[in-house]
Structures are given as C-alpha cells and as structure tokens.
Amino acid sequence: MRISARCTGSLLTAFACLATTDAFTLQQPNVAIGAHNRIRHSAIHGHGHGARLTPLASSASATDVGSTKAAVKKLKQVLTKEYVSFFNPMERSYYADDVSFEDPMTSLAGVDSYQNNVDMLASRTLMGKFLFEGAGINLHSISGGEVSETGNISNITTRWTLRVTAKALPWKPTARFSGVSVYEVSVGGEEGVVVNHQTDYWDSINLSENGQYTKVDKGIAIQDFLNQLKPEGGNAAAAGKELPYQLLRRGNGYEIRRYPACVVAKVPYDRRDEGYDQLAGLTQGMTPLAPAIMEVPSDDSITKTMGWPLAYAKPGAAADDIPTVNPAVEKRSKGSLWSGCEIDSMPSKVIAIGSFSDASVAPVVRKADKALRSSLQRDGIKVPEGSDASVKFAQYDAVYSLGKRRGEVWIELEDGGHPY
C-alpha cells in the first residue's frame, strides 16, 4: 500500500510509544550505523530504482511479453491514481491476497491489513478519525516495471512526499515524510500482474552515502516521527504570510523544495535594517510575503541584495506564467529615489534548504551553508559549481522581533542534479 500503508501502522506504533513515554522522552537507541542491513534483494539509489527482476518463466512468447507490458503499464497508472486519491478506492485486484509491506517502523501481511492501514491514516476508520486528519501524498515520480524478453518484471519505484496531522494532540502537529516505495510485482491475478511486496524507505533516516537507501533500527524511525510531534513554543513573530512551496524531500539535516514562479522586489543594502526600510517604501500598497531573501557575495566588493516576494504563480499555472504586480510599485522602482532597486521575475526553482535558529550573523549563516553542502553531497545531490560565490539565506521573522528565530540557507539546484 505504498506510502499510506507504510505510515498508517507506523503512526499507530508511534502514538503507542507516545502514550507510554514521558512527554516525548523516548531515548535514541544504541545503533551501529555501519551495521545497517542492506535493502532486500537489491540496492536502491536516490536517483534510480531497484533492478530486481521477478521471473515470469524460463521463456516467454512475444504475446506473453506484450500482454505483461500492457498490464504493468496499467498497474503504474493505477498506482498513480491511488496516490492522488489517497487510495479511495484502493484497487485490491492489483494486490496479492498475501501481499506484504515493510517500512522503517512496521510490517504487515495480507490485503485486508494493507487496506485497513491505508483507511486508518486517511481517517476512514474509527481509530483514524480520532488520530489523524489532513493526510495526503504527492507523487513525484514512478519508474521501473520494465519487462525483459523472457518476461521478467523489474521492481516499480515511486518517489513521494506524505503529510499527516496528528489531531489527537491538542497542538495538532503535522508530520511530513518523503522517500521511495519499492514494489515487487509478478505475473498473475485477474489484472495480469499483482503486487506481492512493498518496501518503503524514508529520506530522513534511510538515505546513506551517495544516495543509497539502507535499513535502520526501528527505534530511529520512531524517534524521527516523535520529533515532529513536539510542540513549538516561543517562536519569533513571522514577518508575513509565507511564500508557498512543494516539499520534495525531507532529508537528514535539509529539505528540498520546489518554489513557484514569483515576482521579487530587490534592493541593494549594507545594513539589514536599512534594506527592510527601503523595501517597505518600495512595496507600499502591496502585502509582501515572507521570507526576506538575502544574498551575500564572497567578494566584498560586490553589493549585497535583499528581496521580498510580492506575488507567485498559482498551482497549475504554466512554468513561464509569471504573475504581475501592482503597476504603481513597478513604476516606483524605476524612479530616481530607488536607484539600484528592481522588480525581478523568477521562474519556478528547486531549492535545497538548511535551517538555523540563531541570529542571521555571518558566522552562523556560513556554518549553516557549509553543513547544507555537506549533507547534499553525502546524499548524492549535486551542488552546482560556482554556487559558493555567494551565500543566500532567508529570514522569516519580523525585524526586531523576539523569540526563537527561523532562518534558512538556500542553494538553487540545477536540473539533473537531483531526482525531482
């Protein structure tokens, strides 16, 4: 049941742990990272899919191979539809009666157990209505399922992001997971092919060196989930409504997001408070979005810039559909008073994010940028050449606000340097 099954039983396990643990004090288990078990049957990489082949027979006729290819193509369409609808309905005819499932926190067997877990996470069962709300999956890609001349079927791999809100907790935290699901498929059943086994891996805990997925101790998975349920408190006031994005990966120490095409007001600055004042005057009549985005070149002779997002392309818009801004703001930016200021149109971008909570001073920002680059390289994400010529960081808090701050370093990723 792919992602849903994975997390449904998993979330129940975590809630059970929560109920028997003092206010999120579950201890990290003693795990020798070097002793992680490798993925069953084949290695799965961050940019690819498993190559395990499920045999059809020692030989197969052209008719058999053709019908198997057609059945696999239909199965991939069914999986895509199930993700979009969150398994409503679940196409049970494509799953073996004894289908099995395994993820970092749980395992189960049987198509009834599979569907029950999905329905619970989607709040379609009594227990699910009490525990969860707002569950949803974004499918980023589906690959594999090649059929060889002898009729062998390779694993099908999906890449996804899952979100679910824990409504049973008063502060209703939302947990997010991203990862891959690997389906072992064979010829059979009334549809021509059936799913026999599904293995899920989370980007946050199962990714190891060079983007390879490996298994970890269940306690690590439970801790990863519980950490997302902790209440947030004492945060600094936000500067405004946040620029929306699609979460592609929640990794260990970083995120990868896709931001929509947007229009940004940019000004050169020396002191950050002066940059804020200048942008406030330039964007008068509009409601800018958070975060404020700063870029500081490594060469001190090059001017620093600060930008505020003003508008963004709505979901479903074409990639080059850049939104418009208030004409008065556009005209103002061309006035002599605003020399050096500009209204910049930016296309949709995939951006790697590293978070920090200290003040956005140079040592803190550069340390976070270095850590982000290291994490990306560890997980097989290509860091663009020349990106270290400047440091780009984002600040979400209102200027002069008090409390825990939210800062991020940003690295724009190039097509082909990531699996999205």
Side-chain angles (χ1 to χ4, degrees):
M1 332 175 277
R2 176 178 46 269
I3 305 169
S4 13
R6 164 200 81 220
C7 286
T8 46
S10 309
L11 296 178
L12 270 184
T13 304
F15 268 109
C17 291
L18 181 62
T20 57
T21 308
D22 291 337
F24 303 98
T25 57
L26 183 67
Q27 297 300 308
Q28 182 80 1
N30 246 333
V31 178
I33 301 300
H36 289 170
N37 295 321
R38 293 291 170 183
I39 288 180
R40 212 158 71 93
H41 305 301
S42 62
I44 306 299
H45 297 276
H47 286 242
H49 57 269
R52 180 179 183 266
L53 298 178
T54 302
L56 171 62
S58 57
S59 62
S61 68
T63 301
D64 291 337
V65 171
S67 60
T68 300
K69 286 183 177 179
V72 170
K73 180 180 180 181
K74 182 60 184 294
L75 170 59
K76 292 168 76 171
Q77 294 172 344
V78 166
L79 291 175
T80 300
K81 181 180 177 181
E82 286 184 331
Y83 276 63
V84 172
S85 68
F86 212 90
F87 298 85
N88 188 19
M90 174 182 164
E91 301 288 348
R92 291 171 60 105
S93 60
Y94 280 92
Y95 296 86
D97 290 341
D98 60 351
V99 61
S100 57
F101 171 85
E102 182 181 8
D103 82 348
M105 285 206 295
T106 192
S107 60
L108 55 86
V111 68
D112 290 334
S113 297
Y114 194 114
Q115 180 165 11
N116 183 67
N117 274 339
V118 175
D119 289 342
M120 181 188 63
L121 186 60
S123 304
R124 293 193 290 264
T125 68
L126 184 61
M127 177 69 75
K129 292 179 188 299
F130 171 74
L131 292 177
F132 309 121
E133 67 181 9
I137 305 170
N138 287 328
L139 176 64
H140 306 307
S141 65
I142 181 167
S143 59
E146 288 83 9
V147 182
S148 70
E149 292 182 359
T150 57
N152 294 327
I153 307 173
S154 70
N155 291 340
I156 294 175
T157 300
T158 58
R159 189 176 293 278
W160 43 259
T161 303
L162 167 77
R163 69 182 183 281
V164 63
T165 297
K167 65 179 291 187
L169 298 175
W171 54 95
K172 295 188 176 182
T174 295
R176 295 175 174 86
F177 302 88
S178 67
V180 297
S181 295
V182 182
Y183 295 86
E184 296 174 21
V185 182
S186 67
V187 173
E190 60 187 87
E191 306 295 347
V193 292
V194 292
V195 174
N196 297 306
H197 181 77
Q198 176 187 338
T199 306
D200 282 7
Y201 302 94
W202 300 351
D203 293 327
S204 55
I205 60 173
N206 294 122
L207 265 175
S208 59
E209 190 173 355
N210 296 322
Q212 188 177 33
Y213 288 92
T214 57
K215 293 184 179 180
V216 300
D217 186 88
K218 183 183 295 186
I220 295 176
I222 294 173
Q223 187 69 62
D224 181 65
F225 174 62
L226 291 179
N227 285 341
Q228 298 190 69
L229 301 184
K230 294 179 180 179
E232 294 285 343
N235 294 332
K241 180 182 177 182
E242 184 175 343
L243 179 67
Y245 61 85
Q246 180 186 23
L247 178 64
L248 301 176
R249 172 178 289 184
R250 175 180 165 264
N252 181 9
Y254 68 97
E255 291 183 356
I256 297 179
R257 305 171 182 167
R258 177 176 283 111
Y259 279 91
C262 62
V263 175
V264 179
K266 294 175 66 175
V267 300
Y269 78 98
D270 184 27
R271 286 177 39 182
R272 204 173 306 163
D273 57 344
E274 293 175 350
Y276 275 93
D277 288 344
Q278 198 170 11
L279 280 169
L282 176 62
T283 61
Q284 186 177 358
M286 295 194 69
T287 305
L289 303 163
I293 305 167
M294 278 74 71
E295 186 167 8
V296 180
S298 300
D299 185 346
D300 292 338
S301 66
I302 302 177
T303 304
K304 299 183 290 186
T305 60
M306 176 186 294
W308 284 358
L310 300 179
Y312 59 90
K314 299 300 186 287
D320 58 351
D321 186 6
I322 304 297
T324 58
V325 298
N326 188 323
V329 175
E330 187 82 46
K331 181 179 179 181
R332 194 179 300 137
S333 69
K334 294 176 170 51
S336 57
L337 182 63
W338 307 101
S339 176
C341 303
E342 60 179 323
I343 305 298
D344 190 16
S345 297
M346 298 171 51
S348 175
K349 295 181 178 181
V350 174
I351 299 177
I353 305 293
S355 300
F356 60 90
S357 57
D358 295 322
S360 300
V361 294
V364 170
V365 173
R366 294 195 181 279
K367 180 180 179 181
D369 180 76
K370 182 178 179 180
L372 173 59
R373 293 173 185 275
S374 177
S375 296
L376 294 175
Q377 291 170 349
R378 175 200 66 210
D379 289 352
I381 301 298
K382 185 178 179 180
V383 177
E385 292 184 12
S387 62
D388 56 354
S390 64
V391 174
K392 183 174 287 189
F393 64 101
Q395 185 172 326
Y396 290 81
D397 318 310
V399 65
Y400 304 128
S401 60
L402 300 177
K404 181 180 177 181
R405 298 187 176 276
R406 180 186 173 192
E408 296 172 346
V409 287
W410 287 17
I411 298 176
E412 295 178 15
L413 301 180
E414 298 174 342
D415 291 344
H418 56 85
Y420 305 98

